[in-house]
DNA sequence: CGAAAATGTCGCCGCTAGACGACAATCCGG
DNA sequence: CCGGATTGTCGTCTAGCGGCGACATTTTCG
C-alpha cells in the first residue's frame, strides 16, 4: 500500500529495473527529464507533479488503484460509512 | 483503474461526498486550500502536487496501489479491483 | 421563493519544481 | 584495474502551481 511519495518512487525504481530500463530510457519514454526521474525515484521531492508521475507509470505499463486505508482506529471495522463524527483540532 | 488526474479527482470527490464532507472541511483536514481541492476534483490541473493529493487521500482514509496495466497489445490482464469507484463516462 | 451554504472562478504574487548542461560519483563487466 | 555506462547532484532560469481574497454561480433547505 502506497501512502507516500517515497513509496511510489521506490516502487517505480523497482519496476524499472525489472523492465531493464535505464533512467534515461524510461525518462524519455515518459517524456520527463532524467534528472527528474532520478529525484522522483529517490522520493526526495514530495511535490512532484502527479501528471508526470502518471506518465512514468504508464510508460511502465502500470496504473493506480484506490484502496481504503486502514483507519488509525482500533479493530476490525468493516464500516464503509465510518467517520461521521467530526474530528477537530 | 486510475490512469489520469481526472479519474483521481473524480474518485476523490465521490469519496468526499460519501463521507459527507464539504470541500472546505476536507481541504482543512488535508492541509490544502479549498480552491485547490475544487480544481483537483475537477481534474483541471494535470500538475497537481502528488504530496498534496496523497494528503487528501489520507484524510479520506484512502491509499494507492500499483497495478499492472494492460499493455495496448497482448492479452487481457485480470484486475480484481476494477470499478472500485464509478467511472466517468 | 428567499437565504445561506457550497462550489466555481478570477487576478495577483511568491515560490519552487522541472528542464538543461555539465560534472562527480558509482556501478559493473572484461 | 580500467573504461564505459549509469546515476546523483550542482548551478541557472523559466513557467506555472498554489495560497489568498473576492465575487459569481449553483445547490440546498426553511
Amino acid at each position: 500500500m502506497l501512502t507516500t511519495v517515497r513509496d511510489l518512487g521506490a516502487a517505480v525504481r523497482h519496476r524499472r529495473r525489472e523492465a531493464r530500463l535505464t533512467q534515461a530510457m524510461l525518462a524519455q519514454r515518459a517524456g520527463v527529464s532524467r534528472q527528474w526521474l532520478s529525484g522522483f525515484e529517490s522520493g526526495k521531492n514530495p511535490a512532484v507533479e502527479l501528471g508526470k508521475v502518471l506518465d512514468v507509470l504508464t510508460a511502465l505499463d502500470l496504473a493506480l488503484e484506490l484502496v481504503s486505508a486502514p483507519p488509525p482506529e482500533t479493530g476490525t471495522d468493516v464500516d464503509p460509512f465510518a467517520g461521521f463524527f467530526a474530528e477537530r483540532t
Side-chain angles (χ1 to χ4, degrees), chain A:
Chain A
M1 179 152 46
L2 308 167
T3 52
T4 70
V5 179
R6 287 230 320 276
D7 294 339
L8 209 38
V12 164
R13 168 164 295 182
H14 189 75
R15 181 65 174 189
R16 174 177 63 80
R17 294 201 161 133
E18 277 185 353
R20 317 240 166 194
L21 293 171
T22 68
Q23 289 182 347
M25 292 177 185
L26 178 55
Q28 191 191 7
R29 278 171 82 171
V32 302
S33 71
R34 187 188 63 80
Q35 295 93 327
W36 179 88
L37 184 56
S38 172
F40 169 57
E41 287 187 352
S42 303
K44 58 179 51 173
N45 181 11
V48 285
E49 297 184 6
L50 178 55
K52 295 193 195 324
V53 173
L54 289 174
D55 288 345
V56 169
L57 294 184
T58 300
L60 285 173
D61 296 319
L62 291 176
L64 291 177
E65 283 282 333
L66 265 185
V67 299
S68 39
E73 208 46 53
T74 327
T76 342
D77 43 343
V78 192
D79 185 7
F81 295 89
F84 63 178
F85 60 130
E87 179 87 43
R88 198 184 34 198
T89 50

